[in-house]
Amino acid sequence: MLRKIRITLAVIFWGLITLLFLDFTGTVHQWFGWMAKIQFLPAVLALNFVVVIGLVLLTLLLGRVYCSVICPLGVMQDGIAWLGRRGKKHRNRYSYSPAVSWLRYAVLVLFVVALIAGINSFVALLAPYSAYGRIVSSLLAPIYAWSNNILADYAERADSYAFYQTDVWLKSLPVLVIASVSFIVLAILSWRNGRTYCNTVCPVGTVLGFLSRYSWLKPVIDTSRCNGCGLCARRCKAACIDSKNHAIDYSRCVTCMDCIDNCHQSAIRYVHRSGAVKAAVDDHVAQTGDSGRRNFMAGVGVLAVTAVAKAEEKTVDGGLAAIADKKVPSRRTTIVPPGAQGLRHFAQHCTGCQLCVQACPNGVLRPSSGLVTLMQPESSYERGYCRPECTRCSEVCPAGAILKINRADKSSIQIGHAVWVKDNCIPVVDGVECGNCARRCPVGAITMVPSDPANPESVKIPVVNDERCIGCGACENLCPSRPFSAIYVEGHENHRVI
């Protein structure tokens, strides 16, 4: 019964979190956006102490149920492992293996060091929630969007507008490659060995594993009933049951309840361990190495410490080529969304989960290809601009990298300023009137003035009021100049309210 309850809850959590990354209407986020905010690492980076304390207490009470119910990457691995066990030949395929403690804690230490050093790409690579977000947004979301477009096409032919078309485009090739490799590696590991990633690589699993050693309730082997058949160990995808010594490594047990359901002698129960059992278990835990405790305390103490992300210094190429599509200008300072407060705050909290990228309705956010900020979102205006009335990214961010703002705040936050490139401007190059940037500026920060002050009839060129510009990118996006816009947005390291 416990196993069925766990599987039911896990499927519900997994399905709804997956929909958060697939939904492009914003409907799911209104009801279930909180599920992203209770993920462990985003809650830590957001300094959401209520959630963090709640997850710690949950682990101390029930064991690693977070890993088997709440974590979508863990549930995905369980699903793949279940497929790998189909058929009588592979049903009892697992076996006990000693904990590779040195690897688990080495990865945790590297993870913490990466946070301190600001190597956010490494942090995002290991974080389980972020890895799952990349897999869904890069591999599953395009299929979901294409399916929606097919339905929209058929619905339109039937004079129904229950569905509408949505753009499907490659937001980042490096992220697609990383997501594909991550999925393949995880699929192979879980297909063959179950929860190998969770118990040897995942830093969140290592932290929770330390806590779960002291959980109040846990699977306990009743030696008076056990006949030593070893079926529990062969069904344990965490490889943590030593049936010969009647011991369970609780730091690796993910409380999946498989062993309880499959024990024919009812020799394993989910209870508070007695004094006798406690002594035996403590001996086994001591053999796994107490050095992990010191590593854990050091890791937790610096999980909230992060580094400053530095943007590459580049210049804008002012040349014009004979192509129709717009090219991305190389900015001296990366643009991050309103609510991010600036590059430092954003780099300290962003886990690169891609939730805001998927939620952006204007095609502005896409993953960075920079080495230090790899997979973290940044703004670019080739497909759209950051509309002053849109606050979607701030509403869905679970890690506090983009703080929640309202529409009034959005219109007053300056994330950058527009820069005019004379050599690209149509009035200067072709001698004809344009003024598209001034007409479309939502805050009226651009004014058209005569190119020749002495001649009021000369063609007019744009002048940008830096104090009024909020960096929304409407001018850059709607500029007719190709391939580079005659006006582009330069980001600000620290945002300010105007």
Side-chain angles (χ1 to χ4, degrees):
M1 178 60 71
L2 288 176
R3 178 173 176 268
K4 292 180 180 178
I5 294 174
R6 194 270 305 173
I7 292 176
T8 301
L9 292 175
V11 170
I12 292 173
F13 267 85
W14 174 81
L16 292 175
I17 291 175
T18 301
L19 282 177
L20 290 179
F21 289 95
L22 299 179
D23 177 43
F24 50 81
T25 65
T27 308
V28 178
H29 286 279
Q30 294 179 7
W31 294 95
F32 303 107
W34 59 270
M35 287 189 169
K37 293 179 172 60
I38 64 171
Q39 300 299 314
F40 189 82
L41 184 60
V44 170
L45 295 180
L47 301 181
N48 193 336
F49 296 112
V50 174
V51 172
V52 173
I53 293 173
L55 292 176
V56 169
L57 292 177
L58 180 67
T59 305
L60 289 174
L61 177 63
L62 304 177
R64 285 175 61 179
V65 293
Y66 171 88
C67 299
S68 58
V69 174
I70 301 176
C71 177
L73 191 71
V75 178
M76 183 193 78
Q77 292 177 81
D78 282 349
I80 297 174
W82 177 77
L83 292 175
R85 294 198 311 271
R86 295 297 298 271
K88 295 182 179 180
K89 180 180 179 180
H90 303 289
R91 188 171 296 171
N92 303 319
R93 63 186 305 169
Y94 303 128
S95 61
Y96 171 76
S97 62
V100 190
S101 298
W102 69 268
L103 179 58
R104 298 170 66 191
Y105 293 112
V107 172
L108 178 61
V109 169
L110 289 175
F111 184 81
V112 173
V113 170
L115 282 173
I116 299 173
I119 310 175
N120 298 292
S121 54
F122 182 77
V123 173
L125 196 63
L126 292 181
Y129 171 72
S130 302
Y132 184 75
R134 285 191 302 274
I135 290 171
V136 175
S137 60
S138 298
L139 305 180
L140 190 57
I143 299 174
Y144 182 83
W146 281 324
S147 301
N148 169 83
N149 291 345
I150 292 172
L151 290 175
D153 185 55
Y154 280 106
E156 184 179 355
R157 295 178 186 179
D159 292 329
S160 172
Y161 296 92
F163 302 91
Y164 62 88
Q165 297 278 344
T166 182
D167 290 337
V168 183
W169 54 287
L170 179 61
K171 296 180 175 67
S172 173
L173 180 58
V175 171
L176 175 62
V177 172
I178 291 172
S180 301
V181 172
S182 300
F183 177 74
I184 293 171
V185 171
L186 288 171
I188 293 174
L189 289 176
S190 54
W191 182 279
R192 294 174 58 87
N193 302 305
R195 288 291 192 115
T196 301
Y197 172 83
C198 301
N199 287 330
T200 56
V201 178
C202 178
V204 174
T206 301
V207 171
L208 296 180
F210 174 84
L211 296 173
S212 65
R213 290 176 175 177
Y214 310 102
S215 62
W216 178 258
L217 297 175
K218 58 187 63 180
V220 176
I221 299 177
D222 185 349
T223 55
S224 64
R225 293 188 176 188
C226 180
N227 62 1
C229 68
L231 182 60
C232 55
R234 295 197 299 272
R235 291 288 183 89
C236 178
K237 54 179 170 280
C240 66
I241 301 179
D242 184 358
S243 57
K244 292 182 178 180
N245 297 312
H246 301 96
I248 300 176
D249 182 356
Y250 294 113
S251 71
R252 291 186 290 158
C253 175
V254 295
T255 321
C256 66
M257 312 297 181
D258 286 356
C259 56
I260 297 176
D261 258 28
N262 288 295
C263 180
H264 301 322
Q265 306 299 322
S266 299
I268 304 180
R269 294 174 295 163
Y270 187 58
V271 295
H272 175 58
R273 56 185 178 173
S274 63
V277 174
K278 180 179 184 299
V281 170
D282 285 342
D283 290 341
H284 176 71
V285 169
Q287 295 174 4
T288 63
D290 290 331
S291 61
R293 185 176 305 178
R294 295 190 295 271
N295 291 335
F296 167 75
M297 296 305 295
V300 170
V302 292
L303 271 177
V305 182
T306 52
V308 179
K310 297 183 178 179
E312 283 186 272
E313 294 188 358
K314 298 179 181 178
T315 58
V316 173
D317 185 351
L320 293 174
I323 56 176
D325 293 336
K326 280 201 173 186
K327 288 187 176 181
V328 182
S330 296
R331 312 176 201 275
R332 293 181 183 275
T333 305
T334 301
I335 306 172
V336 291
Q341 296 189 337
L343 297 182
R344 181 185 180 89
H345 177 271
F346 191 70
Q348 285 178 339
H349 295 83
C350 180
T351 63
C353 71
Q354 312 302 310
L355 190 56
C356 60
V357 176
Q358 287 299 113
C360 180
N362 305 311
V364 171
L365 296 179
R366 70 280 313 273
S368 169
S369 298
L371 181 60
V372 176
T373 58
L374 183 65
M375 297 179 286
Q376 292 188 345
E378 62 184 19
S379 299
S380 199
Y381 303 123
E382 294 72 55
R383 289 182 167 266
Y385 65 93
C386 194
R387 296 181 180 272
E389 70 275 9
C390 177
T391 58
R392 287 277 293 280
C393 59
S394 74
E395 295 168 358
V396 304
C397 179
I402 308 174
L403 302 179
K404 190 172 183 178
I405 57 176
N406 54 40
R407 294 184 179 184
D409 297 331
K410 175 77 176 287
S411 299
S412 62
I413 297 175
Q414 188 180 61
I415 62 175
H417 65 277
V419 178
W420 179 54
V421 182
K422 178 180 178 181
D423 292 340
N424 292 355
C425 193
I426 289 177
V428 175
V429 175
D430 298 332
V432 297
E433 297 289 348
C434 180
N436 204 42
C437 53
R439 288 193 299 272
R440 300 301 185 91
C441 179
V443 295
I446 302 176
T447 305
M448 300 300 293
V449 301
S451 57
D452 183 0
N455 181 12
E457 301 300 324
S458 60
V459 292
K460 295 182 178 181
I461 58 176
V463 173
V464 181
N465 183 346
D466 291 346
E467 297 300 319
R468 197 167 184 176
C469 176
I470 61 174
C472 69
C475 55
E476 178 181 331
N477 173 249
L478 299 170
C479 176
S481 179
R482 295 291 190 275
F484 290 98
S485 295
I487 191 166
Y488 79 101
V489 178
E490 190 62 64
H492 287 177
E493 288 192 11
N494 297 300
H495 297 173
R496 66 186 182 93
V497 178
I498 59 175

